[in-house]
Amino acid sequence: MDKNEFLEKCKEQNFHGECYYAVWDNFLPLQQFGLLKDYMTSEMGWSISGKINAHDVSNDDFYLASVIYNVEKYAKQQWSNDNNIDPFLNLTSKIHINALMRIKANLYLRSTHNSIHAPHIDYEAPHQGALFYVTTCDAPTYMADGKEVEAIENRLLIFNSATPHSSSAPTNAPYRITININYFGAGPKLDYLSYMPNSIPTFTSDNYPNG
């Protein structure tokens, strides 16, 4: 769908709170980012998902996914036994997480044309979302207010994932890889921000609660 259709579809969905967001670039130290990217592009196991999301009913798009953590599983099964979780802990340890809901990796394959996936919300309840970009490509994340967050590697997007948003597929790269984290908490930990060379967000929405 195009952007106008995306914005109209957003109006049909529930909003649990306001649409807000903040972005930090060069979020992980280069060594930790390199280890994470190398693992996800060479060793990690992926599964095929037949639809982008439950609202994606107008096309036959598919993508690859891997669930690293899921609170809805039994305790011993919440963390994936199929993947090495250490590279992901380097990321989650730097975010203020009070209670973790899900960590899910997504891989969208190259498309022949720019197309926005159907808008969706991650959970029907207020919570926090973090989207970490592992690769750079021309496939932004679309927010309910029309903001396009470009896919740039080692970028962290903190946002209200209980409001409509959309992924998209790349045309200038073989794939787009992201890590989606759903949780209760806040943004990056303050002690980690003080360690970063540039702790100031690249941009935020005017209503970002921690801005």
Side-chain angles (χ1 to χ4, degrees):
M1 66 179 66
D2 61 24
K3 191 169 182 178
N4 288 333
E5 185 180 359
F6 160 76
L7 292 172
E8 288 300 314
K9 290 290 185 182
C10 285
K11 297 176 183 177
E12 301 172 3
Q13 297 193 24
N14 295 327
F15 281 69
H16 299 278
E18 295 183 331
C19 169
Y20 61 77
Y21 43 84
V23 165
W24 285 265
D25 285 321
N26 301 311
F27 185 72
L28 287 179
L30 288 180
Q31 182 182 21
Q32 292 183 5
F33 173 71
L35 290 172
L36 177 61
K37 183 175 182 179
D38 181 68
Y39 175 73
M40 297 187 72
T41 56
S42 63
E43 299 180 49
M44 197 169 84
W46 298 89
S47 298
I48 296 175
S49 181
K51 288 290 182 183
I52 300 298
N53 60 67
H55 300 281
D56 187 39
V57 296
S58 62
N59 59 54
D60 57 358
D61 287 344
F62 73 95
Y63 73 110
L64 305 181
S66 186
V67 177
I68 310 303
Y69 177 89
N70 188 351
V71 74
E72 297 177 0
K73 298 286 187 179
Y74 291 113
K76 290 184 179 181
Q77 301 173 342
Q78 288 177 347
W79 287 98
S80 169
N81 293 320
D82 300 325
N83 290 303
N84 178 10
I85 67 172
D86 289 343
F88 299 93
L89 297 180
N90 286 332
L91 174 61
T92 58
S93 65
K94 296 169 177 60
I95 301 172
H96 189 129
I97 297 175
N98 294 326
L100 187 58
M101 301 168 70
R102 185 181 65 175
I103 304 173
K104 179 170 171 277
N106 299 319
L107 189 157
Y108 301 99
L109 299 173
R110 187 200 300 265
S111 176
T112 58
H113 61 283
N114 292 111
S115 179
I116 305 172
H117 300 145
H120 66 283
I121 62 174
D122 291 354
Y123 288 94
E124 288 281 358
H127 68 283
Q128 189 85 287
L131 189 66
F132 185 75
Y133 297 86
V134 181
T135 56
T136 298
C137 61
D138 63 346
T141 301
Y142 292 83
M143 313 304 291
D145 65 352
K147 179 68 176 180
E148 300 179 21
V149 181
E150 295 181 19
I152 298 175
E153 68 174 24
N154 205 8
R155 163 174 279 190
L156 179 71
L157 163 65
I158 298 290
F159 70 112
N160 182 359
S161 50
T163 59
H165 55 281
S166 284
S167 55
S168 59
T171 65
N172 67 344
Y175 45 73
R176 172 195 196 254
I177 298 179
T178 56
I179 302 169
N180 184 38
I181 306 170
N182 302 104
Y183 65 101
F184 297 100
K189 290 182 177 178
L190 295 180
D191 58 348
Y192 180 66
L193 287 178
S194 66
Y195 164 82
M196 291 178 63
N198 184 6
S199 62
I200 300 174
T202 304
F203 62 85
T204 71
S205 60
D206 292 338
N207 62 340
Y208 179 63
N210 298 326

